[in-house]
Amino acid sequence: MASALPLGDPAPLDGLLPADSARDAASRNFGVYLHVPFCRVRCGYCDFNTYTATELRGAKQSDYASQAVVEVDLARRVLEQSGVPSREVSTVFFGGGTPTLLPAENLVRMLAAVRDAWGLQQSAEVTTEANPDSVDADYLKILADAGFTRVSFGMQSAVPHVLRTLDRTHDPERVPLVVEWAREAGLQVSLDLIYGTPGESLENWRTSLESALASQPDHLSAYALIVEQGTKLARQIKSGEVSEPDDDLEADMYELADEMLSAAGYSWYEVSNWAANDAFVSRHNLAYWQGHDWWGVGPGAHSYVGDTRWWNVKHPAAYAERIAAGHSPAAGRETLDATTRETERVLLLTRIREGLRVDSLAAEPRREVAGLIADGLIDGRSAIQGAVVLTLRGRLLADAVVRRLTS
């Protein structure tokens, strides 16, 4: 089952935000994330807030689009009544779960609700995640005709035994086909890969990278497998059924990915993401790392406006009950204090290509920078006005660097 919600303060039933949430809002972009919490099967490594048909208990998948549309309208009213200035939406992202388990018309209806509530910027990026076996050419054309601009396929691996360990159900040979259909529909294409699966060798990983590159996607994501407590994979590792991921091998896999993707002309712009050029960078994900605002729609979805973060009730049945009662589905929230904001700023900005300006740090962290560069943990390079920018490449180093710069 999905991971637990964070601890926080109770959220009001009307969903209204603290008055200072509106401060400087006009200087930030506004995005919308729509969580579709349904999967055909539960992957053994996944602890996302997702549900198979047998786990819904009191909720109907067929009702979900209508409920999401109601929350979008609630979001519009909450922001307006909280004094947050209306902004056209810059990015929309349908994630899950598997959004494309819903009929294409449902996704189109949800996007129309977002457009009606706030409007979309002329160049808005609109993405949906999809499994390679959950769409066909007609489905993708319906999305493109409705204003979707981008699809992110969960490829994960091209090696059958790796896919089996991950409980992925698609045929790897289908990936080039769905990429072709997406291109014919006029959609940008991203492929998501996972490395470090138990039993996956460096050569297996090379095979997956070569296969992904053969489809010439516009964007590639490569994420190290994390074993989450409570998942099937965690139980398999504990029982000795499969081996635990090897950190050193994962580091080698990361370096191989960077080497191969760079050689193929892709540019790294965040620790786990590469794009064929800047036009194909995921602007929705960048908005998270750059501290912009977003509203998360759906069960378990998280939102962030100003310094206020909140999260919805997890189960689709509880979500449906809140929506039917006319209440906010928010389960809890927190207001970030100055220390938390600074820690998150360092954590997020050191992960992206633009990096973090050292002259924006307090005095003590600034003194740490020379040591970090000397230790080879970060790259230091010149930037505008001679300020040093630090950029971190490599997930395994992130926590140590952030601790040294914010402690």
Side-chain angles (χ1 to χ4, degrees):
M1 193 53 65
S3 57
L5 290 173
L7 297 176
D9 300 322
L13 287 178
D14 61 12
L16 293 182
L17 304 178
D20 61 359
S21 298
R23 188 179 64 250
D24 299 326
S27 67
R28 301 188 298 271
N29 287 335
F30 178 56
V32 177
Y33 171 78
L34 296 111
H35 185 65
V36 181
F38 310 118
C39 283
R40 188 170 288 120
V41 298
R42 178 174 294 283
C43 297
Y45 64 91
C46 179
D47 81 331
F48 292 169
N49 191 46
T50 63
Y51 302 83
T52 62
T54 59
E55 296 170 332
L56 284 177
R57 301 189 313 275
K60 294 181 180 178
Q61 188 171 306
S62 58
D63 294 338
Y64 179 68
S66 295
Q67 294 159 1
V69 166
V70 172
E71 187 184 353
V72 169
D73 188 59
L74 169 77
R76 177 191 60 78
R77 289 186 282 111
V78 164
L79 292 174
E80 182 180 286
Q81 294 170 18
S82 300
V84 179
S86 181
R87 292 160 288 174
E88 287 188 329
V89 174
S90 58
T91 62
V92 183
F93 197 100
F94 289 75
T98 310
T100 47
L101 281 185
L102 296 180
E105 292 77 10
N106 282 12
L107 301 190
V108 169
R109 183 182 171 201
M110 293 156 70
L111 177 60
V114 172
R115 185 184 289 112
D116 291 344
W118 299 287
L120 296 179
Q121 292 182 3
Q122 187 173 1
S123 61
E125 174 191 275
V126 182
T127 305
T128 186
E129 294 180 332
N131 285 345
D133 56 0
S134 67
V135 295
D136 58 23
D138 290 339
Y139 192 110
L140 293 167
K141 187 175 187 308
I142 291 171
L143 297 186
D145 289 346
F148 282 75
T149 65
R150 192 172 177 275
V151 60
S152 179
F153 290 115
M155 175 181 171
Q156 317 310 5
S157 175
V159 179
H161 80 80
V162 174
L163 290 172
R164 285 195 298 272
T165 300
L166 294 172
D167 291 325
R168 302 293 292 185
T169 58
H170 68 269
D171 181 346
E173 294 185 2
R174 186 175 172 86
V175 172
L177 185 59
V178 295
V179 169
E180 180 182 353
W181 289 339
R183 290 198 185 286
E184 289 173 352
L187 295 167
Q188 296 178 20
V189 175
S190 179
L191 296 179
D192 280 4
L193 299 171
I194 290 178
Y195 60 91
T197 300
E200 181 182 29
S201 68
L202 192 62
E203 285 309 305
N204 291 155
W205 177 232
R206 184 187 298 276
T207 296
S208 293
L209 290 167
E210 289 172 344
S211 178
L213 288 169
S215 290
Q216 297 183 312
D218 304 302
H219 182 279
L220 280 149
S221 298
Y223 299 107
L225 179 68
I226 298 175
V227 180
E228 303 287 359
Q229 291 303 310
T231 60
K232 173 185 173 183
L233 181 60
R235 294 191 294 272
Q236 289 175 315
I237 290 173
K238 185 176 181 179
S239 69
E241 183 179 344
V242 298
S243 59
E244 190 167 0
D246 184 308
D247 284 351
D248 289 336
L249 179 57
E250 284 190 350
D252 291 342
M253 289 175 166
Y254 179 86
E255 291 179 349
L256 179 62
D258 191 42
E259 174 188 324
M260 291 181 63
L261 296 178
S262 297
Y266 291 82
S267 297
W268 166 86
Y269 71 93
E270 192 273 342
V271 167
S272 300
N273 289 274
W274 291 257
N277 60 55
D278 285 350
F280 299 124
V281 164
S282 172
R283 289 189 281 124
H284 187 85
N285 286 340
L286 265 184
Y288 294 148
W289 297 316
Q290 293 171 338
H292 292 289
D293 292 347
W294 77 90
W295 190 292
V297 173
H302 287 230
S303 303
Y304 182 73
V305 175
D307 292 332
T308 304
R309 178 183 293 130
W310 67 96
W311 44 89
N312 286 351
V313 292
K314 280 180 55 178
H315 198 277
Y319 177 79
E321 183 179 348
R322 291 282 194 102
I323 292 295
H327 295 154
S328 166
R333 71 186 189 188
E334 62 178 338
T335 300
L336 276 59
D337 59 23
T339 299
T340 303
R341 287 198 305 272
E342 178 63 6
T343 299
E344 293 190 1
R345 187 178 76 90
V346 172
L347 172 65
L348 296 173
L349 291 181
T350 53
R351 294 178 65 89
I352 64 176
R353 180 177 59 198
E354 287 72 16
L356 173 74
R357 288 175 63 101
V358 176
D359 60 3
S360 72
L361 293 169
E364 183 57 34
R366 258 185 271 172
R367 284 192 285 271
E368 288 282 353
V369 170
L372 289 166
I373 294 174
D375 292 343
L377 293 179
I378 59 173
D379 300 322
R381 53 189 173 85
S382 296
I384 299 171
Q385 298 175 345
V388 175
V389 173
L390 20 134
T391 301
L392 177 72
R393 298 188 68 177
R395 181 188 62 81
L396 300 177
L397 298 175
D399 289 344
V401 171
V402 170
R403 280 197 300 272
R404 284 179 64 174
L405 291 182
T406 59
S407 59

